[in-house]
Amino acid sequence: MTDIGVATSRRISAWQVALLYALFGVLWILASDQLLLSLVGGDFAMLARLQTYKGWFFIGVTALALYWLVRRAVAEAREAERLLQQTEYSFRAMLEGMRDPVFIHEPESGRILYANNAATALYGYSREQLCSAEMGDLSQGEEPFTQARALEWIHRARIGEGLLFEWRGRHRDGRLMWLEINISRAQVGGEEYVLAAVRNIDERKRIEAELRRSEESYRLAQAVAKIGSWQVDIPSGLLEWSDETYRIFGRSRDMPLNLDVFYEAVHPEDRERVRAASEAALAGEPFDIEHRIVVDGGIKWVRERAELVRDEQGQPVGRIGTVQDVSERHALEDAQRQLLAHLDGVANASPTLFWTSGPDGRLDWVNRRWLEFCGGSFEDQLGDAWIDLIHPLDRDVSVRVYRQALAARKPYSMEYRLRHADGSYRWLLERGMPRLDADGAFMGFIGSSLDVTRERAVQEALWTSEERLRLALDAANQGLYDTNMKTGEVTVSARYASMLGYDPSSFVETHESWLSRLHPDDRERVIERHRKYISGELPDYRVEFRMATRDAGWKWILSVGGVVERDAEGRAARMIGTHTDIDALKRTEAELERFRFIVENAGQELYLVRPDGSFFYVNQTAADSLGYSRSELLAMSVPDIDPMIDSEAWRVHFEALKAGDLPRFETVHVSRSGHQVPKEIKSVYLRMGDEEYVCGFAQDITERKQADEALFQLNAELERRVVERTAQLEAANKELEAFSYSVSHDLKAPLRGIAGYSQLLEEACGDRLDDGERAFIAHIRRGVGQMHELIEDLLAYSREDRRHTERHVVELRPLIESVLGLISDEDRRCCRFDFELEVNTLQTDRDGLGLILRNLCENAVKFAKDGEEPRIVFGSCERDGKVLVWVEDNGIGFDMKYHDRIFDIFQRLHHAETYAGTGVGLALVSKAAQRLGGRVWAESAPGAGARFFVELPR
Amino acid sequence: MTQQELPPPILLVEDNPVDLDLTRRAFSRKRLANPLEVARDGEEALAYLARWEAGEPLPAVILLDIKLPRVDGLEVLERLKAHERFSKIPVVMLTSSDDNADLRRAYDLGVNSYIVKPVDFGKFMAVAEQIELYWCVLNRTPR
């Protein structure tokens, strides 16, 4: 390379100098001529001279330039020579120093021009020997390691190819060597060479051979075991398969590999499962699955196991796994199952449930019987589903037995209850046998389970039947008899005897004594029945009869029996049966009959209605009331007889009754003839067992309706009369009011006239009148006074009727005080008033009670005894929930025979001259008491004072 | 001038000639300073008062019977108490009715006093005297 660089720069320099020189020459010629012309003008001589000088000058310059150039070229050549020598030396030194042997060949002939020390060591020849040797001498000499082949390699290298190839070389001592030769073209000092670097690769070859040998044995091992291996590089996703894996998957090695290729090969039904397991494996789960793959349209079963490969940090970087062709095993299993299925099919009558489980104990096949038993689909029943179906009480034990057998790989047998598809638990007798493949490896169990529920039941029944029979008979109140038909002896149970009132320990029964105990009215019938059964005329023996009890009463018995043994002639030899005490039942029946009679004949109609409204039962009264026969009515429903209740209304009614409503209502039924019958209905919801009814009691209320109507009319009439009467009374009242008003005005006006003018007259001419005449005037004036008093009393009396009363809380003592305030001072001064008030407050009309007390008080004052201080006592007490108020005096009293008269108006017991008064006062008291809802009476005797009682509501 | 010095009259509304005469006598017996004017029924009473607009003096007190022909006493009372000026004139019911309904009605209408005519003439005169003493002398009314 150095030589080429120097030569190139020298050539460029020469070119540059030549070019500059030529350029300078041209300029010189052109410029000097012009310059000369401008200097000399037209002097040609001068010009010629100058031209000559110019030529000399040019020659001089040219010579100088050539000298410089030559000198420089020589110096450069010398330098190049030196450099080349130096280069060659270092090159040679380098070659010599190299550990690898190197040869330099002449490219045409292939002759060895040079070989380094390492080369001599390799071949065992000296350098000179090597340089004179042929390449064939240094080679094995057999195709392709010959002289001609070697030359061929050199020629190929010469064209420019860098080649690496292996060669079989021969050492001087004849030993053959594996060589790796790197051959290339080289140019040194313009000469072309071929350079060959050689390396002894015997060791590598040996290792390769060994490796190949071991791989081969591995491959063979895999092929024999039908186990392939594979590995996945997780970061790149690259998949590598071993030969056997390729074989198993039926792929050729030239196909590019990735996970997609793998998954494509997996059977579509298994693909998801494999994928899921692979993902789980990446998360650290163990990976050991069996799945199908599709190979050339056929299906193979493979078992795959894999481990994660982790880097130093523990990160998963790859997976290494094996794949084993287990198709044969599966085929075997399938064959077994087919056999079982075949057996299952053939032995359809066999009730046995067959199943197989895998090495892990999980069920992987069950027969049709199993499916029929457990229900569900085939897939549902695989795995551990059966464990959930085991009866909770049996589960733990059963599972333990099974697991222990599985671990020991030994046969087992057990009984447990398994839930049938119908929900009941059945006893299964199960036997499991280990299942082995052709090599004797454990494949799981093959099991058979037999439903032994009935057998167990029978067994249990056998255990308990006697005890149970006894208990059942006792519970049913049944006695047992066992009759020897030949001898007439009867063996009976304790209950049989006690039923009839006998002591079981001493009771002895015979056929004869049994007959003697029958009720005379029943005897013939029973004997006839018995005879017919024994002779075979009747299929069964079941008869009811009355039987004498020990205490001479009668008891209803139901006897049911059967012949259990016959003699050689077919005659009955032994009869066993039961006696049932049906006395209560009979009584109930009789009672029911009575009830039925009552229901049938009760005056009330009875309907028993189903939820849909149709009649379940009607009594005769009901049928009669509607004019139907009972069978006609039973074919009808409520809406047919009650137009007010359609089916919807009935439904609502029914629900209300069911919810507890107990309505009583009136409706109208339509009879067969279309006649409308008013009815009163009482309904009640009734539940008898599972049946629902409405029980309706109905009553024909036509007469009551008529009575109601009449009553209504009467009431209306009364109402009208009351209104009329009230109006009359009101009119009378008004009249009375107008009358009393007139009395107070119109009667009093003339009275005032009489009073006034008689007084004026007396004043005007009193002194002219004698005593008799003055007495006349006095009579007139006294008459006026009495009349005035009478009018006032009458007015008060008539007003009392119309007075508005109001009940208030009234305090007695203050009321009496105010009444006393109305009495004249003179009277008040001469009387003594005492109070004996036990009750001080009561609810009444204040004015009314005031009026009563005032009149009684005035009465007491008025009828005081002469010569004795009048003493008046006001008293009160409570009696029988009422208030009693009394006014007591120590006056003249009265004879009780006049008691009733004194309370009548205008009735007087004394002459007006003796005791003034209008005869209205006590009548007014009586009326006022009535107005207050009370009454008055008096107790007295002549000369012994009087006590007037007023009784008022509390 | 002399008119001005006379005390205001007492207006007696009374239809019964006996009562009228006795009342007049009772008042004259006591030699009352106030002149006694008489209306024989409600209408006359109202007509008398209407003369007030022509300059006649208003009565110091009106003695009103209930039972009157044409317009009765309670109606007169109602009209008086509804009148702006007449409502200030004291009205004393002087009647023979001691019916509670009459009493309540009279007081509801705003009567100033209610007196039942005594039958006894002596008492009657005492009533007359006390009416004048109280209503014409002691009592003051707004002008």
Side-chain angles (χ1 to χ4, degrees):
Chain A
M1 287 300 284
T2 318
D3 293 343
I4 296 165
V6 171
T8 309
S9 68
R10 200 154 56 200
R11 211 163 33 235
I12 290 166
S13 304
W15 273 108
Q16 282 170 343
V17 170
L19 201 63
L20 279 168
Y21 185 75
L23 201 62
F24 176 72
V26 171
L27 284 170
W28 171 255
I29 292 163
L30 292 174
S32 60
D33 284 358
Q34 286 295 312
L35 185 70
L36 286 174
L37 278 172
S38 63
L39 280 172
V40 296
D43 188 350
F44 283 96
M46 191 71 163
L47 185 65
R49 234 178 3 255
L50 285 174
Q51 281 283 18
T52 306
Y53 300 144
K54 197 179 79 171
W56 286 113
F57 177 74
F58 189 72
I59 288 166
V61 170
T62 306
L64 277 170
L66 281 171
Y67 172 72
W68 182 76
L69 275 173
V70 169
R71 225 188 103 146
R72 192 182 154 192
V74 169
E76 281 183 351
R78 206 174 283 143
E79 176 66 17
E81 183 96 0
R82 196 184 59 80
L83 274 171
L84 183 63
Q85 280 175 349
Q86 203 175 347
T87 308
E88 266 187 9
Y89 176 78
S90 53
F91 185 58
R92 202 178 290 265
M94 187 185 77
L95 289 172
E96 288 302 328
M98 279 177 72
R99 286 178 56 204
D100 279 346
V102 175
F103 293 87
I104 296 175
H105 295 268
E106 198 277 325
E108 193 59 38
S109 63
R111 202 167 47 86
I112 298 169
L113 294 176
Y114 167 80
N116 67 356
N117 284 337
T120 61
L122 177 67
Y123 282 95
Y125 292 106
S126 70
R127 191 171 316 205
E128 288 74 26
Q129 284 172 327
L130 280 179
C131 286
S132 60
E134 288 288 331
M135 284 181 295
D137 301 334
L138 301 174
S139 303
Q140 184 197 24
E142 291 170 21
E143 277 294 329
F145 311 113
T146 61
Q147 170 73 20
R149 287 282 181 182
L151 200 57
E152 209 174 284
W153 279 111
I154 290 171
H155 288 158
R156 276 172 65 187
R158 193 182 160 200
I159 299 165
E161 283 181 274
L163 298 168
L164 183 69
F165 61 91
E166 289 179 358
W167 193 258
R168 204 83 168 113
R170 183 189 292 275
H171 192 267
R172 187 180 177 182
D173 58 11
R175 170 169 57 92
L176 291 175
M177 302 176 288
W178 269 109
L179 304 172
E180 187 183 67
I181 298 177
N182 192 340
I183 187 168
S184 62
R185 196 178 60 150
Q187 212 164 22
V188 182
E191 288 295 325
E192 209 176 338
Y193 306 105
V194 168
L195 198 71
V198 183
R199 179 174 291 174
N200 188 329
I201 55 166
D202 275 345
E203 185 63 16
R204 197 172 84 191
K205 276 290 180 186
R206 190 181 60 79
I207 293 169
E208 273 184 2
E210 263 177 32
L211 191 65
R212 231 187 334 270
R213 221 170 21 252
S214 73
E215 275 190 348
E216 181 61 16
S217 58
Y218 182 57
R219 193 182 60 76
L220 282 170
Q222 289 199 346
V224 170
K226 290 183 178 169
I227 294 178
S229 61
W230 51 266
Q231 67 181 65
V232 178
D233 182 50
I234 291 172
S236 65
L238 279 180
L239 176 67
E240 282 181 43
W241 277 358
S242 72
D243 284 351
E244 183 59 18
T245 311
Y246 273 105
R247 201 195 61 70
I248 290 171
F249 277 81
R251 299 289 195 277
S252 59
R253 261 200 175 278
D254 49 6
M255 274 178 70
L257 265 188
N258 54 37
L259 282 172
D260 291 340
V261 172
F262 165 70
Y263 281 120
E264 210 169 290
V266 176
H267 192 280
E269 289 175 13
D270 296 345
R271 216 169 271 162
E272 270 316 303
R273 187 162 59 85
V274 174
R275 217 183 274 276
S278 296
E279 276 162 22
L282 281 178
E285 296 282 315
F287 183 76
D288 183 352
I289 59 167
E290 289 192 11
H291 64 84
R292 286 164 292 177
I293 56 173
V294 180
V295 178
D296 302 331
I299 288 178
K300 280 186 183 173
W301 274 96
V302 294
R303 179 177 181 188
E304 290 207 71
R305 280 180 281 196
E307 293 291 336
L308 271 184
V309 179
R310 298 175 189 271
D311 62 11
E312 289 81 357
Q313 282 79 42
Q315 289 298 312
V317 292
R319 297 172 67 210
I320 293 182
T322 60
V323 48
Q324 183 180 9
D325 187 340
V326 292
S327 301
E328 282 180 18
R329 198 191 82 212
H330 273 266
L332 191 65
E333 286 178 6
D334 282 346
Q336 274 191 353
R337 285 195 197 108
Q338 272 172 14
L339 186 64
L340 287 170
H342 180 66
L343 282 173
D344 188 32
V346 171
N348 213 0
S350 159
T352 309
L353 320 180
F354 286 114
W355 51 267
T356 63
S357 66
D360 55 0
R362 293 165 60 81
L363 296 198
D364 53 13
W365 178 82
V366 297
N367 75 341
R368 198 147 44 84
R369 282 287 176 201
W370 182 285
L371 293 181
E372 285 169 6
F373 185 94
C374 296
S377 69
F378 182 76
E379 284 73 19
D380 291 343
Q381 289 302 326
L382 297 187
D384 291 331
W386 65 289
I387 291 175
D388 292 334
L389 297 179
I390 300 176
H391 193 286
L393 290 175
D394 300 341
R395 194 174 293 153
D396 289 349
V397 171
S398 304
V399 171
R400 195 159 60 238
V401 167
Y402 181 73
R403 296 265 187 250
Q404 281 169 356
L406 183 72
R409 304 184 170 187
K410 292 218 166 124
Y412 71 92
S413 166
M414 62 182 178
E415 281 189 32
Y416 62 89
R417 278 163 289 182
L418 194 68
R419 198 169 72 216
H420 191 268
D422 65 11
S424 67
Y425 283 96
R426 302 280 175 84
W427 280 100
L428 290 188
L429 171 61
E430 180 168 293
R431 288 205 172 80
M433 295 290 289
R435 189 157 66 103
L436 304 173
D437 68 8
D439 303 327
F442 181 71
M443 288 163 61
F445 281 111
I446 173 165
S448 64
S449 310
L450 191 62
D451 186 342
V452 292
T453 309
R454 186 169 302 181
E455 285 77 358
R456 282 189 72 110
V458 168
Q459 205 172 18
E460 273 183 23
L462 269 173
W463 291 336
T464 58
S465 61
E466 293 207 0
E467 179 64 8
R468 263 209 289 206
L469 181 62
R470 194 186 63 75
L471 288 171
L473 289 175
D474 280 357
N477 213 10
Q478 282 177 327
L480 190 67
Y481 63 83
D482 186 345
T483 311
N484 186 324
M485 303 293 281
K486 301 286 176 202
T487 63
E489 287 170 39
V490 183
T491 313
V492 298
S493 70
R495 184 77 194 101
Y496 182 101
S498 63
M499 195 182 289
L500 298 172
Y502 292 96
D503 177 5
S505 58
S506 59
F507 184 72
V508 178
E509 179 72 314
T510 64
H511 190 63
E512 286 306 312
S513 55
W514 173 73
L515 282 174
S516 68
R517 271 201 299 277
L518 284 171
H519 193 284
D521 293 350
D522 298 337
R523 192 171 292 144
E524 261 181 56
R525 176 172 57 84
V526 174
I527 291 171
E528 181 66 7
R529 177 91 200 176
H530 193 259
R531 190 192 60 75
K532 278 187 171 173
Y533 170 69
I534 296 296
S535 66
E537 279 176 63
L538 285 171
D540 55 3
Y541 176 73
R542 182 187 177 89
V543 62
E544 293 174 4
F545 47 77
R546 277 162 289 178
M547 189 155 259
T549 58
R550 185 155 180 253
D551 56 8
W554 294 106
K555 191 170 242 182
W556 275 98
I557 300 284
L558 165 67
S559 176
V560 179
V563 170
V564 292
E565 273 180 39
R566 289 184 184 272
D567 62 13
E569 286 82 41
R571 287 191 301 251
R574 186 177 171 204
M575 184 167 168
I576 294 179
T578 58
H579 270 188
T580 309
D581 183 345
I582 55 166
D583 208 46
L585 191 71
K586 278 283 172 190
R587 275 203 301 276
T588 310
E589 265 180 22
E591 204 163 323
L592 275 175
E593 184 55 33
R594 277 199 298 282
F595 272 120
R596 201 183 62 75
F597 180 83
I598 291 166
V599 166
E600 286 295 321
N601 298 285
Q604 208 161 37
E605 302 161 30
L606 177 70
Y607 303 83
L608 212 54
V609 191
R610 297 188 188 91
D612 65 357
S614 62
F615 294 116
F616 174 72
Y617 170 84
V618 295
N619 69 356
Q620 194 57 47
T621 316
D624 291 348
S625 80
L626 295 168
Y628 290 105
S629 75
R630 280 168 74 174
S631 55
E632 280 173 330
L633 201 52
L634 285 174
M636 297 165 71
S637 63
V638 173
D640 296 329
I641 61 162
D642 193 335
M644 280 151 79
I645 296 183
D646 59 10
S647 58
E648 174 61 18
W650 168 256
R651 202 185 56 71
V652 172
H653 179 61
F654 180 78
E655 292 302 327
L657 289 171
K658 194 174 177 179
D661 198 6
L662 289 169
R664 184 190 187 110
F665 57 93
E666 288 182 8
T667 187
V668 176
H669 283 176
V670 177
S671 72
R672 184 178 191 170
S673 58
H675 195 66
Q676 294 205 330
V677 189
K679 296 268 181 83
E680 184 187 71
I681 314 274
K682 268 188 293 180
S683 303
V684 62
Y685 171 77
L686 197 63
R687 191 178 183 93
M688 294 198 276
D690 290 339
E691 308 288 320
E692 293 178 298
Y693 301 103
V694 167
C695 186
F697 302 93
Q699 201 154 20
D700 187 336
I701 51 167
T702 308
E703 284 174 19
R704 202 177 79 194
K705 277 276 167 194
Q706 285 166 354
D708 281 354
E709 182 59 29
L711 193 64
F712 177 79
Q713 295 290 350
L714 193 63
N715 274 337
E717 174 63 19
L718 274 174
E719 193 74 14
R720 194 183 58 72
R721 282 191 205 166
V722 165
V723 169
E724 229 170 60
R725 190 91 182 106
T726 307
Q728 286 172 359
L729 277 172
E730 276 175 5
N733 250 340
K734 278 234 156 57
E735 218 169 292
L736 191 61
E737 225 168 295
F739 166 74
S740 58
Y741 195 81
S742 297
V743 165
S744 64
H745 267 90
D746 300 350
L747 283 186
K748 279 202 260 175
L751 207 56
R752 269 197 304 279
I754 296 165
Y757 288 120
S758 60
Q759 193 172 341
L760 286 172
L761 183 65
E762 193 180 17
E763 280 173 18
C765 48
D767 46 354
R768 278 183 280 146
L769 297 177
D770 59 19
D771 290 348
E773 287 161 341
R774 270 199 294 277
F776 293 159
I777 291 176
H779 284 312
I780 291 171
R781 291 182 60 190
R782 198 162 53 242
V784 166
Q786 279 175 3
M787 186 161 179
H788 182 234
E789 201 178 335
L790 186 59
I791 288 170
E792 290 297 332
D793 283 353
L794 274 175
L795 278 174
Y797 186 80
S798 75
R799 221 178 278 144
E800 188 54 31
D801 263 338
R802 294 167 286 127
R803 202 172 57 81
H804 178 73
T805 62
E806 267 177 25
R807 279 168 70 88
H808 292 290
V809 175
V810 176
E811 291 203 40
L812 218 43
R813 181 71 188 250
L815 180 67
I816 296 169
E817 303 280 4
S818 71
V819 165
L820 294 179
L822 297 172
I823 296 171
S824 70
D825 293 347
E826 192 187 332
D827 288 346
R828 207 164 42 230
R829 264 198 302 278
C830 70
C831 293
R832 199 178 121 206
F833 298 99
D834 287 325
F835 298 93
E836 294 173 4
L837 302 173
E838 284 176 32
V839 174
N840 203 32
T841 58
L842 67 161
Q843 277 263 347
T844 191
D845 178 67
R846 189 187 161 86
D847 293 348
L849 185 57
L851 185 75
I852 292 167
L853 291 173
R854 197 182 78 212
N855 276 286
L856 290 178
C857 185
E858 283 171 354
N859 220 40
V861 171
K862 188 160 76 181
F863 294 106
K865 244 190 267 179
D866 286 339
E868 200 173 326
E869 183 191 25
R871 182 172 169 271
I872 299 173
V873 181
F874 293 92
S876 71
C877 69
E878 189 171 343
R879 203 180 71 179
D880 303 335
K882 296 186 172 176
V883 176
L884 207 58
V885 180
W886 67 87
V887 180
E888 190 184 336
D889 62 60
N890 56 353
I892 57 171
F894 61 91
D895 191 334
M896 282 299 280
K897 66 182 177 187
Y898 303 118
H899 176 272
D900 291 343
R901 284 181 58 188
I902 60 172
F903 292 105
D904 286 345
I905 194 163
F906 300 135
Q907 291 298 326
R908 297 170 57 91
L909 296 185
H910 307 279
H911 297 293
E913 296 82 22
T914 328
Y915 293 100
T918 58
V920 176
L922 286 179
L924 191 57
V925 166
S926 175
K927 185 173 279 261
Q930 277 174 31
R931 290 277 294 161
L932 300 184
R935 63 193 181 97
V936 289
W937 71 96
E939 287 173 2
S940 182
R947 189 185 280 183
F948 285 84
F949 294 94
V950 186
E951 186 191 68
L952 296 169
R954 189 89 179 83
Chain B
M1 190 67 192
T2 47
Q3 283 269 327
Q4 296 271 322
E5 285 168 1
L6 278 174
I10 294 169
L11 176 61
L12 175 67
V13 189
E14 177 61 74
D15 67 321
N16 188 316
V18 174
D19 278 349
L20 183 60
D21 182 56
L22 287 174
T23 309
R24 203 194 286 275
R25 283 178 188 279
F27 275 106
S28 60
R29 202 46 105 79
K30 293 297 172 187
R31 285 183 283 280
L32 290 171
N34 304 68
L36 191 70
E37 297 292 337
V38 173
R40 299 298 305 273
D41 58 42
E43 257 181 37
E44 268 188 34
L46 292 169
Y48 172 84
L49 288 170
R51 293 218 300 273
W52 159 74
E53 286 179 11
E56 289 290 320
L58 281 175
V61 63
I62 299 168
L63 303 178
L64 193 57
D65 193 5
I66 287 179
K67 212 179 164 201
L68 293 169
R70 302 202 280 188
V71 180
D72 77 11
L74 290 171
E75 194 179 335
V76 172
L77 175 65
E78 190 176 2
R79 290 201 201 172
L80 290 179
K81 291 301 175 188
H83 194 273
E84 190 198 348
R85 179 70 186 85
F86 303 158
S87 65
K88 275 94 177 174
I89 304 167
V91 178
V92 176
M93 303 308 287
L94 191 64
T95 173
S96 49
S97 168
D98 61 351
D99 194 298
N100 202 38
D102 284 340
L103 264 158
R104 187 171 293 146
R105 174 109 176 103
Y107 275 98
D108 283 348
L109 291 172
V111 78
N112 300 77
S113 186
Y114 192 106
I115 292 163
V116 180
K117 291 175 190 167
V119 173
D120 186 271
F121 187 66
K123 286 176 185 167
F124 201 101
M125 283 193 298
V127 164
E129 185 179 15
Q130 283 175 19
I131 284 172
E132 189 182 24
L133 177 67
Y134 182 81
W135 290 109
C136 300
V137 179
L138 298 174
N139 191 45
R140 284 287 175 270
T141 55
R143 286 164 203 267

